[in-house]
Each structure stands twice: as structure tokens, then as C-alpha cells.
Amino acid sequence: MVMIQYGIAGGEKGMRQAEFGSTGACVRWTEASGGGPARVYLHGLGSASAVYHAHIAAAAALSDRRSLFVDLPGHGISDRPLDFGYTLEEHADAVAAALYSAGVKGAEVVGHSMGGAVAVVLAARRPELVSRLVLAEANLDPDPPRTAGSSGIASYTEEGFVHGGGFTDTLQRVGPLWRATMRLADPTALHRSAIGLVRGTRPTMRRMLQEMTIPRTYLMGELSGELPGREELEASGVTVETVPGAGHNMMFDNPAAFVEAVAARSLLPS
């Protein structure tokens, strides 16, 4: 596997990349130096990891750890191959390629929304790479409500979304926060990723999460309402916490509380 890194000086890590798939496309990430176990941050649909998480990782309670901000294929600074399926499993395999290249095992993975679903699949498929999960309103079930962003995007055909105005219409509908990063995502990758989210996995992400034995935390924004199946998650050992005064984008709505939740029960540095 080929890995190229940029901006390395005095031990500080800049942008790095690793090949995924079969055509030489690269998944890319940026890093902040620190001890282990590393924390890996995964963004949601149409987002980017450093934008959503760099300020979180820089907080005093978290800044002692090596931090990787991975952009999923088709998003941010990662490549966007047209011959890639962008399923949750394929996203997870791309993240695994990044972690293997970075020499990371036993990471604490912090995943937001779709990134949380990818994190669950990653932990199930490559358990040696993940020691703890922190899931911020992660997708756990197929067929989310029609009001969900992924369902709206998936309601278009790929042709209609990419070339028929669907991408443009979606950018106009979403708020300025999401639009700021969504406009940087590849439309084909965005649509296929949304289709993958709506399709989900078999077994479901929820079932995979419930069957794991590693420490697992699920975060809900106070303004997002009740978490379906909360009692069953807690019965399986998942810690469910509410981030006060926050909605889906809790790392922006209440960053201090989000930092506290990520840091809580964190694994001891090695």
C-alpha cells in the first residue's frame, strides 16, 4: 500500500494519504500530534472531519492524544472515484486503509451521523483497529425518516441528483453550516453515500453495535428528541448521554459539553 505524507517537520504531522479501492484513489487526513491511543474523527454526510472536530480535539481535555481527522471518500480532501460504490462497508474499508497506513490500532473513534455508522461498521469488520466508540447521533437503522438529509438526497435518481438539478436544489435547501462543506463534496459520491445510509447494513448497525463488547458511548443532542431503542442499547452496555442545549451538530451547539462527553470514560493514554 502506498502512503505519502506532506508537511512533516519537527514531529508534527500534516496531510497524509493512503490508497483505497482498486484504482489508486486516496483517502486523506490531517493529524495533530499526541500520545496514544489515537483518536480518529469521522464526519457526517456532506461534511469534513477537521471542520467539525479540530476545535474539539484542541480542547485541553483531549489535546494530549494523537488525533486524525479523516475525510471519507468523495468528501473534503479525499479522492472521489466514479467507480466506487460509497457503501458504508466501502467507506469503512477506506478508513481502515488510512489507519493501517498511519500505524494506528486500538483507536478511539469519534463518529458523527454517517461517520458514526461508518465507525460501527469499521469496528465490526476490523476490531483490531477500534478500542472505543463515541457516536454522535449516528445512523443505526436503515430507512431513516423522510425528513432526514440522507433520505431527501436518496429520493433522487443518481442522474437526477448529479445532472438534473438535485444537488443544486439540495444546497439551496440545507442551512449555511451544512452547505459550507456539502458544496465541496462530489455530487455522485454524496448521492451514493446517501443511498448507502438509507440501505443500511445486514446485520443493521444497531445490531452490530449491541453485540460489541468494547466501550461504546452514544450521544444525543437535547434538542433532537428521544433516541429510539434507547433501553435496548443501554441493556447491551452502550452508555447513552445527552448533550444539553444541542441539536444534531452538538460539536458546534455546545462544544464544551461535547468535549466533556468525549473525554468521559476515555481510555488511559499509553
Side-chain angles (χ1 to χ4, degrees):
M1 180 175 292
V2 177
M3 188 275 288
I4 304 170
Q5 56 192 43
Y6 301 88
I8 306 301
E12 295 299 321
K13 297 179 173 63
M15 185 172 69
R16 305 179 70 174
Q17 66 184 36
E19 290 184 7
F20 70 92
S22 59
T23 59
C26 288
V27 57
R28 295 186 178 88
W29 67 99
T30 54
E31 291 198 25
S33 297
R39 283 198 187 91
V40 177
Y41 294 88
L42 300 178
H43 61 83
L45 180 69
S47 301
S49 281
V51 175
Y52 274 67
H53 296 116
H55 65 296
I56 298 300
L62 301 176
S63 61
D64 61 331
R65 294 292 184 83
R66 181 184 179 189
S67 300
L68 287 74
F69 308 101
V70 181
D71 282 346
L72 298 172
H75 294 72
I77 58 176
S78 289
D79 286 343
R80 44 206 67 200
L82 291 177
D83 60 349
F84 193 67
Y86 298 93
T87 65
L88 291 172
E89 294 87 351
E90 287 170 311
H91 277 302
D93 286 347
V95 175
L99 300 191
Y100 283 128
S101 286
V104 170
K105 291 187 177 181
E108 297 188 6
V109 182
V110 181
H112 176 230
S113 199
M114 183 181 80
V118 172
V120 171
V121 177
L122 174 69
R125 290 166 73 89
R126 310 291 177 93
E128 74 279 6
L129 296 179
V130 182
S131 60
R132 179 189 180 221
L133 288 172
V134 180
L135 308 174
E137 295 198 8
N139 299 73
L140 297 181
D141 304 299
D143 301 316
R146 181 65 177 82
T147 54
S150 56
S151 294
I153 293 172
S155 67
Y156 293 90
T157 65
E158 183 172 307
E159 175 67 21
F161 186 77
V162 176
H163 300 293
F167 182 51
T168 300
D169 291 344
T170 299
L171 288 177
Q172 292 174 346
R173 284 199 307 272
V174 302
L177 186 70
W178 198 8
R179 181 165 56 243
T181 54
M182 185 184 289
R183 65 189 179 188
L184 305 178
D186 178 77
T188 300
L190 186 64
H191 184 266
R192 292 180 187 175
S193 295
I195 291 289
L197 266 179
V198 171
R199 181 187 304 120
T201 59
R202 297 294 182 271
T204 65
M205 297 84 77
R206 181 181 297 271
R207 180 177 171 185
M208 285 190 281
L209 180 64
Q210 290 174 328
E211 292 178 350
M212 292 175 188
T213 58
I214 60 174
R216 294 148 293 157
T217 300
Y218 193 99
L219 303 179
M220 280 292 294
E222 180 184 22
L223 307 180
S224 297
E226 295 297 320
L227 172 62
R230 175 172 182 156
E231 291 183 358
E232 290 80 4
L233 286 177
E234 292 178 324
S236 70
V238 178
T239 299
V240 180
E241 297 184 4
T242 300
V243 178
H248 187 62
N249 293 322
M250 56 194 78
M251 67 288 298
F252 297 133
D253 296 336
N254 193 343
F258 185 73
V259 166
E260 182 179 355
V262 173
R265 303 180 186 86
S266 184
L267 303 177
L268 293 175
S270 57

